[in-house]
Amino acid sequence: MWRRQDQQRPVLRMTHNRSVRVNQVVVSIVSSATLLSAGMNLGFSAVSLPHMQDVNGPDRLTVDEGSWFASIGFISTLLGCLTCGPLLDRMGRRRTLLVVNFPFVIGWLLMWVAPKPVPIALLYFARLLNGLGGGMISIPGNIYIAEMSTSSMRCMLVTWPSLAISVGIILVYALGLIITEWRYIAAISTFVPIITTVSIYFYVRESPIWLLARGRVEEAEESFKWIREVDKDDEIPKDLVDEFERIIEKSSTMRERVDNESVDEPGVDMPLYQSSEPCYGIRQVPIATQTQDKVSESVSSPYSTLLRSDVWKPLVILNLYFFFMQFSGVPVLISYAVNIMMSEGVSLEPYLATLLLGIVKLIFEIGAGFVQNRFGRRPLSIASGMGMAACMVGLGLHHQMFTNTEDAEETGLMSWVPLLLIFAYVISAAVGFFLIPWAMLGEVYPTKVAGLACGITTCLGNFFGFASIKLFPTIVVLLGGSANGNSINSTEGVFYFYGGVTAFAVLFIYIYLPETFRRTLQEISDDFTRPSRRLNFI
């Protein structure tokens, strides 16, 4: 069993400190790689739809069929988000990371072998499978990394799954640049979850926290020693003994909660974490501390608790934030990037411009992690929204002034403007709107209803994403553009619409969004319960 080492051995400790970082990095890379497929699925419609809708191609999808193809995956993503939590609790972290890859394998395989012309029902079914996988994979990687990493490395490592989504988008954009047949892109994409599954099988062990909560102490000890790179027969450095004993103590409390709450249903395991991020994302809310007041609060159901001001107010505010984020044009740009580049006549080859767009997005998302540790949520949200709105208005003005001009020289000189504005729009979104709503999921909801409230918000957030992408052709037509047959041609009104939505979102954020940066959950909750001029409007 676990042995405390009172006399430390410097040589062993030196080896431990060096290798523990390597092992944590390896398992973090492998578990984060599961999100590559989710990112590739998000960007796939951008590089495949122009070929699918080509009037001279074999498939010839209509605009309406293309909008369903781009958006339908969000529907099954909702189901995937609801299933990943129970899978994590019942099957464990490692087996869940293995299982969630299978919907991607089948979905990509169906698109790979699709006949010509492609049956539209087959395309929809494949996208539904990929959307299901995107929902199922939304949080297991983050939870596993959080449970396996040391506190000194956790803040950095838990951001890797989010970055993996952006890397996946870049990968599929790069494939779209060099491959014109979308079936071949799907073929390559099929091997990504397969390789990920094999890597997880060989390089990932079960989380010691999950094992301890199930009373499997010896297995937990073995897994803990493996992740900390301590040989099986070696004595353990004192700091690791202390760390493992703290895990045991926390798990004992959690085990008591499991025993107390599963009297009517023996063997039911309670979750160690509750999901608070979607499908693209990626945070986890520890619930190990939610034990002492459970019995006293059980008389009121979580649903009745939703009527409390410190619950319904953040629920309304955050869901509206998600609505504004999804209808500000962010998901539309990701899903229709190549089409928009073509429509605006950017100075670069559209597929190359789309690839550069994905790279810029990734770089600034990495930088956003450092920026968000220095500034509050409200200032960044406001600055992000103002930048996005300005870029959309700029695109509208450019489209209105230069798209239909007959002066070829003047048009050529200004052809680089829409590309720069689109890049600036993505940069603005990356430091605020694209990330902050997900980050606030774990900050604004009281612990008791965090799971229910986060579930409502993630479901609605993904529904808003589906609606914004599906309605894009309709919005184009309503605002004077065309979406007939196999092409979409935007007008300045489309860009003014998205700019106006974002500008209204900035006003909403300025009035209602509370500041959560460097504040305790209790302080945040007090903002919603005490009289406040700003919050009394809702």
Side-chain angles (χ1 to χ4, degrees):
M1 296 297 293
W2 195 262
R3 295 170 292 175
R4 177 182 294 275
Q5 178 190 2
D6 295 322
Q7 296 180 351
Q8 303 172 14
R9 291 183 288 184
V11 175
L12 177 62
R13 181 177 295 276
M14 184 180 299
T15 303
H16 157 71
N17 285 338
R18 182 177 65 252
S19 58
V20 70
R21 292 181 178 273
V22 173
N23 229 21
Q24 288 184 77
V25 168
V26 170
V27 298
S28 298
I29 291 174
V30 172
S31 55
S32 298
T34 55
L35 276 297
L36 290 175
S37 295
M40 297 181 76
N41 182 56
L42 285 175
F44 183 66
S45 62
V47 299
S48 60
L49 275 180
H51 300 297
M52 291 179 176
Q53 296 176 324
D54 187 354
V55 293
N56 298 317
D59 302 306
R60 301 179 185 179
L61 269 64
T62 66
V63 168
D64 185 63
E65 291 170 339
S67 67
W68 275 110
F69 175 79
S71 63
I72 197 170
F74 280 90
I75 298 176
S76 54
T77 295
L78 303 179
L79 178 61
C81 290
L82 297 177
T83 59
C84 66
L87 283 176
L88 281 168
D89 300 328
R90 299 285 185 174
M91 300 178 59
R93 281 50 171 146
R94 180 176 180 271
R95 282 186 290 178
T96 299
L97 287 169
L98 290 170
V99 168
V100 295
N101 286 288
F102 286 98
F104 285 117
V105 174
I106 300 173
W108 289 121
L109 182 62
L110 288 176
M111 285 189 280
W112 176 11
V113 300
K116 299 180 181 181
V118 61
I120 193 63
L122 178 65
L123 274 184
Y124 291 166
F125 182 63
R127 290 288 282 181
L128 285 171
L129 285 174
N130 282 359
L132 177 66
M136 294 172 65
I137 204 58
S138 58
I139 64 168
N142 267 68
I143 291 180
Y144 179 78
I145 293 172
E147 293 179 349
M148 296 292 275
S149 58
T150 59
S151 58
S152 61
M153 298 188 68
R154 186 174 300 122
C155 290
M156 176 186 67
L157 295 179
V158 295
T159 64
W160 288 9
S162 296
L163 297 179
I165 294 179
S166 295
V167 173
I169 294 174
I170 292 175
L171 285 176
V172 81
Y173 284 174
L175 291 174
L177 175 63
I178 60 179
I179 300 175
T180 58
E181 173 55 69
W182 60 268
R183 290 172 179 82
Y184 296 158
I185 299 177
I188 297 173
S189 302
T190 303
F191 290 97
V192 173
I194 293 175
I195 295 173
T196 301
T197 302
V198 173
S199 301
I200 292 171
Y201 183 82
F202 285 105
Y203 293 107
V204 169
R205 301 282 186 92
E206 186 53 79
S207 163
I209 294 180
W210 184 85
L211 292 169
L212 283 170
R214 274 80 190 160
R216 297 156 63 176
V217 180
E218 293 185 1
E219 294 177 65
E221 177 183 336
E222 181 181 353
S223 178
F224 182 80
K225 293 173 72 173
W226 172 79
I227 191 63
R228 297 297 184 261
E229 282 291 339
V230 178
D231 292 338
K232 183 177 181 180
D233 297 326
D234 284 348
E235 292 184 344
I236 314 301
K238 181 179 181 298
D239 58 336
L240 291 187
V241 174
D242 294 338
E243 180 185 356
F244 191 76
E245 289 179 347
R246 287 193 298 269
I247 295 175
I248 292 177
E249 182 180 354
K250 182 173 71 171
S251 299
S252 298
T253 304
M254 297 168 64
R255 188 65 187 177
E256 293 175 4
R257 182 171 183 258
V258 170
D259 295 337
N260 291 335
E261 296 189 0
S262 59
V263 174
D264 298 328
E265 190 178 352
V268 174
D269 292 325
M270 299 303 294
L272 306 187
Y273 290 86
Q274 290 178 342
S275 167
S276 69
E277 189 90 23
C279 304
Y280 317 100
I282 306 182
R283 286 172 59 95
Q284 61 284 328
V285 183
I287 62 171
T289 58
Q290 307 173 30
T291 56
Q292 302 300 325
D293 57 351
K294 179 66 179 179
V295 175
S296 61
E297 293 184 344
S298 61
V299 294
S300 60
S301 68
Y303 295 96
S304 63
T305 308
L306 291 177
L307 299 177
R308 287 172 20 189
S309 62
D310 62 336
V311 178
W312 73 262
K313 283 185 177 182
L315 193 65
V316 170
I317 290 173
L318 201 53
N319 278 285
L320 284 174
Y321 196 168
F322 270 94
F323 173 84
F324 289 128
M325 184 267 284
Q326 299 286 29
F327 278 91
S328 65
V330 172
V332 169
L333 182 60
I334 294 175
S335 300
Y336 285 93
V338 174
N339 190 292
I340 292 174
M341 296 287 186
M342 291 178 175
S343 174
E344 293 309 298
V346 297
S347 56
L348 288 179
E349 198 278 332
Y351 284 90
L352 176 59
T354 300
L355 173 60
L356 294 177
L357 185 69
I359 295 174
V360 168
K361 176 177 175 292
L362 174 62
I363 292 173
F364 279 88
E365 282 178 351
I366 295 174
F370 298 97
V371 173
Q372 290 187 33
N373 285 332
R374 293 179 176 272
F375 302 97
R377 308 300 193 205
R378 294 184 72 247
L380 280 178
S381 294
I382 293 172
S384 173
M386 291 176 65
M388 293 165 63
C391 291
M392 280 295 166
V393 172
L395 280 170
L397 290 173
H398 176 273
H399 189 100
Q400 184 175 358
M401 297 173 62
F402 297 102
T403 299
N404 298 318
T405 182
E406 296 180 357
D407 190 337
E409 182 179 356
E410 185 177 13
T411 302
L413 291 174
M414 298 300 295
S415 62
W416 54 269
V417 172
L419 181 62
L420 294 180
L421 287 172
I422 291 173
F423 274 36
Y425 173 85
V426 169
I427 293 171
S428 299
V431 299
F433 265 51
F434 193 74
L435 296 178
I436 288 178
W438 304 119
M440 293 186 68
L441 278 169
E443 300 174 332
V444 298
Y445 294 133
T447 302
K448 180 181 177 182
V449 295
L452 176 61
C454 289
I456 293 173
T457 302
T458 54
C459 285
L460 285 176
N462 282 282
F463 173 77
F464 295 148
F466 158 75
S468 66
I469 295 174
K470 181 65 184 73
L471 293 175
F472 175 61
T474 303
I475 292 174
V476 170
V477 172
L478 290 176
L479 295 176
S482 63
N484 300 319
N486 303 87
S487 62
I488 298 177
N489 296 307
S490 299
T491 66
E492 59 273 11
V494 176
F495 300 112
Y496 292 152
F497 168 77
Y498 287 123
V501 170
T502 309
F504 190 81
V506 170
L507 179 62
F508 171 83
I509 289 168
Y510 177 78
I511 297 175
Y512 295 121
L513 189 72
E515 183 57 77
T516 60
F517 183 60
R518 292 180 179 174
R519 305 183 69 200
T520 66
L521 294 179
Q522 186 60 50
E523 291 173 339
I524 296 170
S525 180
D526 290 343
D527 266 355
F528 295 108
T529 54
R530 70 165 62 99
S532 169
R533 179 186 64 82
R534 182 163 52 86
L535 294 178
N536 274 346
F537 285 99
I538 61 173

